[in-house]
Amino acid sequence: MNVSDYTATTALLRNETVASAIRDKLVVELTSGTPHGAREASHWIVERGARYLDGAIMATPDFIGTDGGTILLSGPREVFDSNRDVFQALSGNAQHVGEEPGLANALDSALLALMWGALFGTLNAIAVSQAERIDLGELARQWTATAPVVEGLVADLIKRTSAGRFASDDETLSSISPHYGAFQHLLELMEARKIDRSVVDGYDKIFRRAIASGHLHDDFAALSQFMKE
């Protein structure tokens, strides 16, 4: 299955004829959805005597069928292993990410959050550059030069959060304080140039919540504790 959403999947599968036909078959759901949607779909299909894997395509169409394409699949490991050749024909980097059927979609959402964070950050950067008459080619060149620094910060943020290391220490790359100081300059520039602040105001809310709780001089990773309402 690879259709628009789980509602479309439901409309196609959930009738008596199909329910009878899928018995002893493998249903692979590659439609984008939510973890709870995957769990509910898995329950319905397994109840009808079929096997189920839920997947997420982490690629644009031009990567399908290439070694650079990634498809994440969750569900029974033995089902994935016995059909590995099929999955690798679709994507050279087909991966089994866990037995729980909702895991592929959960990872999909997490990785898309990273992607959209980068894309919306780029929109902000473009707007600032255009307002200040910076050539976008120059923006692209400087992004290429600074990208390794950003990638290092992202990797460090994930590692420190996983370990629960939120206080500043000898390995801290940057605490919240200098980030928030520089962030004020961005807010001021965007306000002066009448650039939409919807995205950065969300960042400001999280900064302020952490700072109000006494984390101004902790590692940037401390912000991860303030992502829940």
Side-chain angles (χ1 to χ4, degrees):
M1 300 296 297
N2 186 12
V3 290
S4 57
D5 53 33
Y6 278 31
T7 300
T9 295
T10 297
L12 291 168
L13 288 187
R14 298 197 184 186
N15 60 70
E16 291 184 8
T17 302
V18 174
S20 175
I22 64 173
R23 181 172 296 278
D24 298 324
K25 301 290 195 303
L26 168 61
V27 177
V28 182
E29 175 67 273
L30 295 178
T31 298
S32 295
T34 62
H36 65 267
R39 295 171 192 129
E40 197 276 334
S42 175
H43 178 75
W44 187 88
I45 287 168
V46 171
E47 270 198 334
R48 280 145 188 85
R51 297 166 297 161
Y52 181 82
L53 289 174
D54 199 274
I57 300 173
M58 310 305 300
T60 49
D62 50 317
F63 279 91
I64 298 302
T66 73
D67 289 341
T70 294
I71 295 178
L72 308 179
L73 291 143
S74 54
R77 178 70 197 227
E78 68 276 10
V79 177
F80 173 85
D81 287 341
S82 63
N83 293 277
R84 185 187 296 269
D85 290 346
V86 175
F87 303 137
Q88 290 190 329
L90 290 172
S91 162
N93 191 34
Q95 299 181 42
H96 182 261
V97 296
E99 297 273 333
E100 205 282 308
L103 283 174
N105 268 325
L107 266 171
D108 182 35
S109 291
L111 292 167
L112 287 173
L114 272 173
M115 180 189 74
W116 286 321
L119 291 177
F120 274 99
T122 303
L123 291 176
N124 280 323
I126 289 170
V128 167
S129 297
Q130 290 175 329
E132 292 293 327
R133 298 183 180 179
I134 298 170
D135 181 79
L136 293 184
E138 184 64 21
L139 174 64
R141 284 188 290 275
Q142 296 308 325
W143 159 245
T144 300
T146 57
V149 176
V150 178
E151 290 172 1
L153 287 167
V154 171
D156 184 69
L157 172 57
I158 294 171
K159 181 176 72 173
R160 291 183 72 97
T161 303
S162 177
R165 292 171 53 217
F166 301 125
S168 290
D169 56 31
D170 290 343
E171 295 181 4
T172 288
L173 300 176
S174 186
S175 65
I176 291 172
S177 178
H179 275 282
Y180 195 60
F183 183 68
Q184 299 310 302
H185 305 153
L186 174 63
L187 293 180
E188 184 179 343
L189 190 161
M190 294 180 76
E191 184 67 26
R193 290 297 192 175
K194 306 302 180 188
I195 298 171
D196 189 290
R197 284 181 36 170
S198 299
V199 173
V200 295
D201 281 345
Y203 301 161
D204 193 39
K205 180 180 178 182
I206 296 164
F207 268 127
R208 289 177 180 272
R209 194 182 299 158
I211 292 167
S213 297
H215 294 275
L216 180 62
H217 299 293
D218 283 345
D219 191 277
F220 188 87
L223 292 174
S224 67
Q225 301 171 95
F226 297 90
M227 293 299 294
K228 293 183 179 180
E229 291 290 347

